Amino acid sequence: MSFFDRVKKLFSSTSVPSSTDENAPILTNENVAITNDSTVVPVTEVTQFSPEMDIVPFWLENEDALRDEGVIFGLSETRAEEKVGAIRNYFAHQTAELEKTVEYHSEKIGELNLFIEQKETRINELVEKSRILENRERTDHQLPRTLIGIILSLVMCVGNYYLIDESILTNFPANHTVIALGIFLAGMFNLFNPKSFFHEKEAVFTWRQLLEEVGMPLAASAFVFVQSLDNQSLIRSFALFLFVFFLFLFAGKLLLSNLTVLKNDSGIWTDNLRLQKDKISKSQEWEAEVSKLKLEIDELRIEKWKIVDVLKSPESELKRLNERREMLVKLFESEFNLARSYREKLTGKQIQDILK
C-alpha cells in the first residue's frame, strides 16, 4: 500500500483511538521510534555493501518493502541520498564484473575497428596509386633526332679540323697537327659561353659580350685565311675563311645544344621504360596486396562479430540491472518525497498509524 493510500485510509477512519485511553492498544512499529518532540527516527540502518556481500537486502527484493523504506525515511530527518547511495552501491557491486567484461570486449572491438580502418585506408591508397599509374601517358621525346644531330655535329667538327690542318700544312709542315688542333680549339672557345646572341632573341648584349661571342672564331678564321693565301687564290681563301668562321660559330653551338637535349631526351626515354615496367609489375604487386588486405579485413570482421555476439549477453544483463536500479531509486524517491511533503501536516500519532 502506497503512502498516499495510507493517508486516505487514516483520514477516512471514523474513530481514532485516544492515546490516553487505557484500553487502547499501544501502537508500535519495529521500523520507527517516536520521541517526545514527535520526530520519527528510522530504526533501519543504511547498509554500505561491500564486494564480498552476496545477500540481497529484503527491501530490494520487495517493492512494497522499498516503499515502506521511502515512507520511513520521508517522515524522518534522514536524507534520501543515504538510501539512494546504498541502492547504487549495491548495484555497483552487482554490475562491476559485467562492466569490466563489457569494457574489455568493447576495447577489443575498438582495436579491430582501428585495424580494419587502417587496412581500408591502405587499400584506398593502393587503388588511387593504380589509377594514377594507369592514367599516366608516355612523354614524347626526340631522342633519335638528337642522336643524329650529335653525329652530324661531330662530323662537321672533325671536318673543320682537317680543313684547318690542310690549310696550314704548307707553312707548318713539322707541327701542323698540333697547330691545327690549337686553332680549332681557339675557334671553338666560344662554345663555353652559356648565352648566344644567335639564339637568345629577347636578351640584351653589350659590345663586350658580342666580342666574346665572335672574337675568337673570327681571329682563328682570319689566321687560317692568311695561311691559305700562299697556296690558294684569294677567292678560295676568302671562301675558306667564311666557311671556317661559320663552322666555328654554329657547329660547336649545335653540338653542345644537342648534348643538352640528349640528356633530357634520355631521361624521358628512361622514364617511359620505367613507366611501362611499373604498369605491369607494380600493378600486379598492388593488386596482390589489395587482395591480401581484403582477406585480412574479412578475418578481422569475423573475429569482430564473434566478440559482438559474446558481448550481447553481458550488455543486456548490464542494461537490465541499470534499469532495475533506476526504477528502484525512483520508486524510493517518489515515496520519500510524498512522505516528506506530508510530514509537517501530521501529528506523531497519525504518523504512527500510517507506519503500522
Side-chain angles (χ1 to χ4, degrees):
M1 181 182 297
S2 67
F3 175 76
F4 188 68
D5 293 334
R6 296 183 184 187
V7 173
K8 289 197 300 182
K9 181 179 179 181
L10 173 65
F11 286 101
S12 62
S13 299
T14 56
S15 63
V16 179
S18 173
S19 58
T20 58
D21 188 357
E22 295 180 355
N23 297 325
I26 299 175
L27 300 177
T28 60
N29 189 291
E30 62 179 0
N31 292 325
V32 296
I34 306 300
T35 61
N36 294 329
D37 54 357
S38 300
T39 302
V40 180
V41 180
V43 177
T44 305
E45 296 181 355
V46 179
T47 307
Q48 296 296 326
F49 303 103
S50 63
E52 293 79 10
M53 294 182 62
D54 294 326
I55 301 174
V56 182
F58 72 96
W59 44 267
L60 284 179
E61 291 182 330
N62 191 313
E63 294 183 6
D64 290 334
L66 182 61
R67 288 191 180 95
D68 292 340
E69 293 288 313
V71 172
I72 294 171
F73 276 75
L75 295 176
S76 69
E77 296 292 338
T78 310
R79 295 180 304 173
E81 288 78 4
E82 296 180 8
K83 199 70 172 182
V84 171
I87 297 173
R88 294 189 184 278
N89 181 46
Y90 172 78
F91 278 96
H93 166 59
Q94 297 296 314
T95 60
E97 291 299 325
L98 290 174
E99 289 176 349
K100 290 180 181 179
T101 302
V102 170
E103 182 180 1
Y104 172 77
H105 287 94
S106 298
E107 289 179 355
K108 292 293 294 182
I109 292 174
E111 291 178 359
L112 294 176
N113 286 333
L114 179 60
F115 293 152
I116 292 173
E117 183 180 356
Q118 291 175 346
K119 294 181 184 299
E120 288 178 343
T121 302
R122 178 59 179 167
I123 289 175
N124 294 332
E125 291 177 356
L126 294 176
V127 171
E128 182 65 17
K129 286 182 178 180
S130 299
R131 186 188 65 80
I132 294 175
L133 182 62
E134 187 66 26
N135 292 334
R136 282 183 59 186
E137 300 292 340
R138 295 167 57 91
T139 306
D140 295 333
H141 60 83
Q142 303 295 330
L143 184 60
R145 181 179 177 179
T146 303
L147 292 174
I148 294 173
I150 291 175
I151 294 173
L152 293 178
S153 300
L154 290 173
V155 171
M156 285 190 292
C157 291
V158 172
N160 192 17
Y161 166 76
Y162 281 106
L163 186 60
I164 295 170
D165 185 53
E166 289 294 329
S167 300
I168 66 173
L169 179 61
T170 304
N171 296 327
F172 305 97
N175 298 315
H176 64 91
T177 304
V178 179
I179 295 173
L181 180 60
I183 296 171
F184 174 78
L185 292 177
M188 299 285 286
F189 186 78
N190 68 320
L191 296 177
F192 303 101
N193 187 6
K195 295 183 180 180
S196 174
F197 68 90
F198 293 106
H199 303 288
E200 300 288 338
K201 297 181 180 180
E202 299 180 357
V204 179
F205 291 90
T206 63
W207 65 270
R208 292 182 180 179
Q209 291 174 328
L210 181 62
L211 181 62
E212 182 184 355
E213 182 84 13
V214 181
M216 289 304 295
L218 181 62
S221 301
F223 182 81
V224 174
F225 170 72
V226 172
Q227 299 302 321
S228 65
L229 288 175
D230 293 341
N231 54 9
Q232 295 183 16
S233 64
L234 179 62
I235 296 176
R236 295 182 65 182
S237 297
F238 184 72
L240 178 63
F241 165 76
L242 292 177
F243 185 74
V244 172
F245 176 67
F246 282 104
L247 279 177
F248 280 146
L249 288 178
F250 295 107
K253 290 289 184 183
L254 179 62
L255 176 62
L256 289 186
S257 297
N258 283 332
L259 288 176
T260 303
V261 175
L262 175 64
K263 178 182 178 181
N264 297 331
D265 286 345
S266 61
I268 294 173
W269 179 71
T270 304
D271 291 340
N272 288 338
L273 289 179
R274 188 182 298 109
L275 176 62
Q276 185 177 1
K277 181 180 179 181
D278 289 345
K279 283 190 174 182
I280 299 174
S281 62
K282 285 193 174 296
S283 296
Q284 294 176 349
E285 178 183 348
W286 291 341
E287 288 178 1
E289 186 176 355
V290 168
S291 300
K292 180 181 177 181
L293 289 172
K294 288 182 177 179
L295 290 176
E296 292 176 354
I297 288 176
D298 291 338
E299 293 175 356
L300 290 173
R301 284 176 175 166
I302 292 173
E303 183 178 355
K304 170 187 170 182
W305 287 115
K306 288 180 180 179
I307 298 176
V308 170
D309 291 337
V310 173
L311 187 59
K312 288 180 180 179
S313 177
E315 275 186 337
S316 60
E317 180 63 16
L318 181 62
K319 180 180 178 182
R320 185 189 68 81
L321 289 175
N322 288 334
E323 291 176 350
R324 173 71 177 173
R325 178 196 64 200
E326 295 303 318
M327 186 270 292
L328 294 178
V329 168
K330 291 184 181 300
L331 180 62
F332 173 80
E333 289 179 341
S334 65
E335 294 292 330
F336 175 87
N337 293 330
L338 186 59
R340 182 59 57 89
S341 65
Y342 274 89
R343 187 185 63 176
E344 301 298 331
K345 303 176 182 179
L346 301 175
T347 64
K349 180 66 170 60
Q350 291 173 328
I351 293 174
Q352 207 172 35
D353 289 339
I354 292 173
L355 295 176
K356 283 184 179 181

